[in-house]
Amino acid sequence: MLFNKVSYRRGIIEGVIIYVLGRLGALITPAFFPDWTFVAIPLLFLVFQYILPPVWAARRMTSTKRERLSRRFWLLGPRIAAICLAFDIVISLCLGLPLTMFEVQKGPVLLRLATTDAASHLSWLGYGLYELRTAVFLFVFYTIAVLCTRLAGGGFLRFTMPAGGNRVTL
């Protein structure tokens, strides 16, 4: 397809932009959204953070017919994950942590680390464990998503049946 021919660098940039949009959306308190969007919009932000960036980047990049899983595609998932983790740290420190369904935004991590108020205080250990969990999830999931996307796009997951004269490729 003509739509899927972008460079390696542009694919990474597009994936990171999608992640940042999802991460910024996750800062909004879910109670802000009315009715059924109370559940749908935060789920959309999760898709923008964790599912769409590696699949989008791997799907849009151009490659030769023989190149399915070259070294650059093996490193694409960890590379995008590292860049997204850096943006996640900056957003957390300056704007706040992402919210779950019934939380309210308590402010930037830098202010929460320095405050003495027990309700909004955040310890260095708590913040470090949050970022460690995020890093592990990003690196593992992005690597798997890129590899599966590249294999599926290259025809690896296709099979032909039945073995007779009327073959159907799925």
Side-chain angles (χ1 to χ4, degrees):
M1 285 179 72
L2 186 64
F3 179 69
N4 292 332
K5 296 188 184 225
V6 299
S7 67
Y8 188 78
R9 179 178 296 164
R10 182 168 174 182
I12 289 174
I13 291 170
E14 289 175 357
V16 170
I17 289 171
I18 292 170
Y19 176 83
V20 169
L21 290 175
R23 182 61 177 82
L24 291 174
L27 294 172
I28 302 170
T29 303
F32 174 76
F33 303 109
D35 298 333
W36 62 273
T37 59
F38 173 77
V39 175
I41 300 295
L43 287 176
L44 180 69
F45 293 144
L46 284 175
V47 168
F48 269 57
Q49 284 182 48
Y50 298 112
I51 296 173
L52 198 54
V55 173
W56 179 272
R59 181 77 181 113
R60 295 251 304 145
M61 286 183 197
T62 184
S63 64
T64 63
K65 191 89 169 160
R66 294 178 157 211
E67 178 189 36
R68 288 203 183 144
L69 289 176
S70 66
R71 181 182 167 125
R72 73 182 189 143
F73 285 112
W74 276 100
L75 296 176
L76 177 63
R79 188 168 290 156
I80 293 175
I83 296 169
C84 289
L85 182 64
F87 275 102
D88 181 66
I89 291 170
V90 169
I91 291 171
S92 294
L93 290 174
C94 297
L95 300 174
L97 294 173
L99 301 174
T100 59
M101 198 57 78
F102 299 108
E103 287 183 333
V104 177
Q105 187 57 257
K106 296 179 181 176
V109 170
L110 287 174
L111 291 177
R112 291 180 64 192
L113 290 170
T115 188
T116 57
D117 181 27
S120 63
H121 179 70
L122 181 66
S123 68
W124 281 103
L125 179 64
Y127 177 65
L129 289 175
Y130 162 75
E131 289 298 342
L132 179 67
R133 185 190 68 190
T134 302
V136 167
F137 188 75
L138 283 175
F139 278 96
V140 170
F141 188 73
Y142 277 27
T143 303
I144 291 171
V146 166
L147 294 180
C148 289
T149 302
R150 292 305 302 169
L151 288 173
F156 179 76
L157 299 177
R158 293 185 193 153
F159 62 94
T160 304
M161 63 179 281
N166 297 331
R167 295 178 183 216
V168 176
T169 302
L170 301 173

